[in-house]
Amino acid sequence: EVDIVGQSAVDFVKKRVARLWPRRPHAVKVTLQLPADQITSELTKQTREAVKRYCTDRISSNRLQRGLVIQRSQRQLIGAVIGTVVSLAVIALLAANPFGLIPEVLRGLLTVFASFAIAILIFNAVWSLVFDWVPFVQDNTVLTILMGMDLVIESQDGKQSR
């Protein structure tokens, strides 16, 4: 099948189910068609176990990755808060103009740049904290659905094995 659609059956089904996310499909039924001489009595059970192992391993990996992404986002937020405090200190210093050495126009430009830096720092940190973990949750939801899918293996002439 990889030759036909360019990807494994599990990846193909994952993409089909992921399109429906966050809604869950009512049922997922996968029918594998194989030549009759390749079908054994244990094939369905082995295939279900292999899919379950694959999904379980991917879910564990996604949970670990999600935790790392959340930690990185929290560190980014802490850095943004520190950058904001520094930028606010620069803005306060520019507003006070203690030595009177900076012209009014330059102080205004530097204040705008510092304000812009605050906006970028905070926006990126909050965006990362709010949205970067979503793909991992989506993938885990899809993998959970795949673990519970109905798997049917049949020969290319239509004879089923459950």
Side-chain angles (χ1 to χ4, degrees), residues 3-4 6 10 13 26 29 37-38 55-56 58 65 67-68 84 103 105-106 108 112 124 145 161-162:
D3 294 334
I4 296 171
V10 173
V13 174
H26 297 293
K29 179 180 179 184
D37 61 336
Q38 291 183 4
C55 292
T56 303
R58 288 289 309 272
Q65 291 297 320
L68 294 173
T84 299
V105 173
L106 185 57
V112 169
N124 285 339
I145 291 168
S161 166
R162 285 194 175 254

Side-chain angles (χ1 to χ4, degrees), residues 34-90:
L34 300 173
D37 61 336
Q38 291 183 4
I39 297 175
T40 64
S41 59
E42 292 294 314
L43 185 61
T44 303
K45 181 180 177 187
Q46 291 171 345
T47 305
R48 281 189 184 135
E49 289 173 0
V51 168
K52 185 175 181 178
R53 274 193 317 272
Y54 170 79
C55 292
T56 303
D57 290 347
R58 288 289 309 272
I59 287 171
S60 297
S61 175
N62 283 342
R63 285 183 179 151
L64 178 64
Q65 291 297 320
R66 184 181 69 201
L68 294 173
V69 164
I70 289 172
Q71 286 177 354
R72 186 190 71 217
S73 297
Q74 290 170 338
R75 284 193 306 270
Q76 186 177 357
L77 185 61
I78 290 169
V81 168
I82 292 169
T84 299
V85 169
V86 169
S87 294
L88 288 173
V90 167

